Every structure is written in structure tokens, then in C-alpha cells.
């Protein structure tokens, strides 16, 4: 029996019916996503094949018909779990939209919704998410139907699986040190920065500063900084700024360096992102 293999292909797009969101229709086989995060809720539905990913210290496999939700700011990977690869539809939904929807559903202000790690296996939810995504992709020929399907799908996700994350304990000295290091790393993304400078800012040795940062964020300081650079590059790319100029303004050494990291995170080169 011949097994059809998926090809590495992705289309990112936007719709006024879901302001600020990025949506993608994609299939992958050879591409593997390195550890990264998104500022939005990542809400995929696997249409065919299977994807595997590491998330919060556990390895998961999401097969066709499943919904592997990732919370905003959470480090995760992505790769094929079967020889053929996988095909999926994804909504990257802004935090404010999900928060406001949760408040509307309950009738009172809600804490920020949180989804437990793991693969959601709910055929009804998967079908509704797939239908909403498809209607939005059709360029909303019937915007009333598309928006109703979107709210129906996301409301079901929140009602069935939305939780409240346990309140964090009061920040200790290590939390404050990590916050200070993050401020140093993001203050000027184009400025050279050494590990010694980062360590001096928090009163630690370079070894202990690097270890504390990696233990807390899941990435070493330089990799975490590159993630921030990539996230901040999206808006100027959409605005039509050249890839070379965005690369320079984001603090990458050159355009090829920027393109390589961008492709690893988003599955497409930055030039494909422009015009989204």
C-alpha cells in the first residue's frame, strides 16, 4: 500500500473577523520546529497524519482529529510522529480575545484561561474548530456564518477545557533576577551583550546566571533573546519592511541568520510572511 507523504508547505493569513490573530493552513513532513513559544493561544486541529511535540517536560503525540492546545508563552517543539508527516489548521488567538470571550461566557470578569498540558481528543470540538477555520479561510463569503462558527468553537473549547492556573507564589530573589535578566536582554535587541554583563546585573557568576535563566525559561539567554527578536519582527514584516532591514533592526548578524531562525520557528521564510 502506497502512503501519501505530506510536503512542507504552509500558508499564513489573517481575517478581520479575528483581529490580531494569525492563522495557518499547513502540512509538514521534513520540517521540525525547534523549541519556541507564541504570544497567543495556539489552537490547532490535526486533519491527517500525526504530530509529536515536547511541552512542559512531556512528549506528546497528536493524531488526526485531536486538538493539542498550547498556552501563550509556553515553550514547545513540533515534528512528524509518523512517516507521512501531518496536516493541520492552526489559530494563534490573541490573549485578550480569549480572555474577553471567557468573561462574556461567564457574565463576570474571569482570570486568564489556562489549558492543561496534553492532547484534547474531542471529535465534536475538533469538527467545530475545523469548520470555523475553513469558513474564515474562505475569505468570509458569509461573515455572519464564519463569525458564529468561530465563537461557537472557541466557546466550546473554553467551557469544556478552560481552567484557571494556580496562583504563583510571591516572587523570590531568583524570580527577580530572571526578570532583571529579561529586561537586559530585551532593552535593546541590537546591542551586543555578554553573559558576564548579564550576570553582573543580578550579582551572580556567569555560570550560575546562565543556569538559573535556562532552568526558569527553558532556554539559554541567547536563544531566549532570539525568540523575542523573532516575535517582534512580525509586525514590520507585515508592514512591508524589507527582510534585510527587519533582520538588522531585530539584532541578527545578517539576513541569512535571521531567515534561518525564522524558518525554524514559523515553518516558512520571512519573505513568505510579508503581506499576511
Amino acid at each position: 500500500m502506497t502512503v501519501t507523504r505530506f510536503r512542507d508547505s504552509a500558508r499564513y493569513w489573517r481575517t478581520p473577523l479575528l483581529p490580531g490573530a494569525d492563522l495557518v493552513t499547513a502540512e509538514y513532513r521534513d520540517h521540525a520546529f525547534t523549541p519556541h513559544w507564541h504570544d497567543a493561544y495556539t489552537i490547532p486541529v490535526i486533519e491527517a497524519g500525526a504530530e509529536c511535540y515536547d511541552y512542559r517536560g512531556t512528549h506528546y503525540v497528536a493524531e488526526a482529529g485531536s486538538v493539542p492546545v498550547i498556552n501563550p508563552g509556553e515553550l514547545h517543539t513540533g515534528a512528524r510522529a509518523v512517516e507521512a508527516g501531518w496536516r493541520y489548521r492552526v489559530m494563534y488567538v490573541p490573549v485578550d480575545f480569549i480572555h474577553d470571550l471567557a468573561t462574556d461566557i461567564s457574565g463576570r470578569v474571569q482570570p486568564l484561561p489556562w489549558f492543561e498540558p496534553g492532547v484534547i481528543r474531542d471529535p465534536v470540538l475538533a469538527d467545530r474548530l475545523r469548520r470555523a477555520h475553513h469558513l474564515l479561510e474562505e475569505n468570509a463569503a458569509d461573515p455572519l456564518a464564519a463569525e458564529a462558527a468561530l465563537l461557537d468553537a472557541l466557546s466550546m473549547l473554553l467551557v469544556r477545557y478552560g481552567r484557571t492556573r494556580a496562583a504563583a507564589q510571591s516572587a523570590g530573589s531568583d524570580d527577580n533576577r530572571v526578570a532583571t535578566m529579561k529586561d537586559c536582554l530585551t532593552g535593546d535587541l541590537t546591542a551586543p551583550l555578554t553573559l558576564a554583563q548579564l550576570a553582573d546585573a543580578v550579582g551572580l557568576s556567569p555560570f550560575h546566571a546562565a543556569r538559573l535563566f535556562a532552568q526558569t525559561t527553558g532556554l539559554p539567554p541567547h536563544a531566549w533573546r532570539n525568540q523575542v527578536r523573532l516575535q517582534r519582527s512580525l509586525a514590520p514584516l507585515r508592514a512591508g519592511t524589507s527582510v534585510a532591514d527587519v533582520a538588522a533592526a531585530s539584532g541578527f548578524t545578517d539576513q541569512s541568520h535571521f531567515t534561518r531562525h525564522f524558518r525554524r520557528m514559523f515553518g516558512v521564510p520571512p519573505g513568505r510572511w510579508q503581506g499576511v
Side-chain angles (χ1 to χ4, degrees):
M1 178 179 178
T2 302
V3 177
T4 300
R5 295 182 177 183
F6 295 111
R7 57 193 178 90
D8 292 338
S9 174
R11 185 174 82 87
Y12 282 86
W13 45 281
R14 296 195 130 195
T15 171
L17 298 179
L18 189 53
D22 292 309
L23 298 98
V24 63
T25 306
E27 59 182 58
Y28 294 108
R29 181 180 178 274
D30 296 324
H31 182 76
F33 293 92
T34 54
H36 67 284
W37 77 82
H38 301 279
D39 292 332
Y41 288 91
T42 301
I43 304 174
V45 56
I46 311 295
E47 292 192 295
E51 177 192 15
C52 62
Y53 62 101
D54 295 323
Y55 179 43
R56 295 185 67 82
T58 301
H59 184 74
Y60 296 100
V61 174
E63 69 284 354
S66 65
V67 181
V69 176
I70 303 291
N71 291 292
E74 289 287 325
L75 204 64
H76 61 286
T77 62
R80 74 172 188 254
V82 294
E83 176 63 21
W86 80 101
R87 185 178 74 237
Y88 65 172
R89 294 173 176 268
V90 190
M91 300 181 192
Y92 298 101
V93 186
V95 171
D96 289 346
F97 187 94
I98 293 293
H99 194 193
D100 290 345
L101 181 57
T103 295
D104 288 344
I105 291 170
S106 68
R108 61 181 186 276
V109 177
Q110 292 292 301
L112 195 65
W114 187 258
F115 298 94
E116 293 293 335
V119 180
I120 297 173
R121 295 178 172 89
D122 184 331
V124 176
L125 173 63
D127 284 343
R128 293 190 184 187
L129 285 169
R130 185 187 299 108
R131 179 173 181 271
H133 196 284
H134 180 71
L135 288 173
L136 292 170
E137 191 177 23
E138 288 182 333
N139 204 23
D142 185 348
L144 186 62
E147 191 168 15
L150 172 68
L151 293 176
D152 175 64
L154 294 181
S155 296
M156 175 176 283
L157 174 66
L158 281 166
V159 170
R160 291 189 176 185
Y161 302 101
R163 302 289 183 266
T164 299
R165 192 175 191 181
Q169 297 179 346
S170 57
S173 59
D174 283 348
D175 296 315
N176 292 331
R177 287 188 176 110
V178 172
T180 297
M181 286 190 280
K182 286 182 176 180
D183 287 342
C184 293
L185 290 165
T186 58
D188 181 355
L189 293 175
T190 65
L193 186 65
T194 67
L195 186 56
Q197 290 173 317
L198 203 61
D200 285 344
V202 294
L204 294 174
S205 70
F207 171 79
H208 285 98
R211 186 174 66 174
L212 172 62
F213 193 91
Q215 288 175 340
T216 304
T217 67
L219 290 174
H222 72 279
W224 187 90
R225 195 184 200 197
N226 279 341
Q227 294 289 307
V228 175
R229 287 167 165 161
L230 291 168
Q231 292 287 350
R232 293 188 183 179
S233 74
L234 300 182
L237 284 173
R238 287 195 194 97
T241 305
S242 72
V243 174
D245 287 345
V246 173
S250 301
F252 287 94
T253 55
D254 53 44
Q255 183 175 333
S256 63
H257 185 221
F258 171 58
T259 297
R260 184 169 64 254
H261 282 279
F262 194 97
R263 186 191 291 272
R264 287 175 181 170
M265 180 169 178
F266 296 106
V268 296
R272 288 275 300 280
W273 189 277
Q274 289 180 314
V276 172

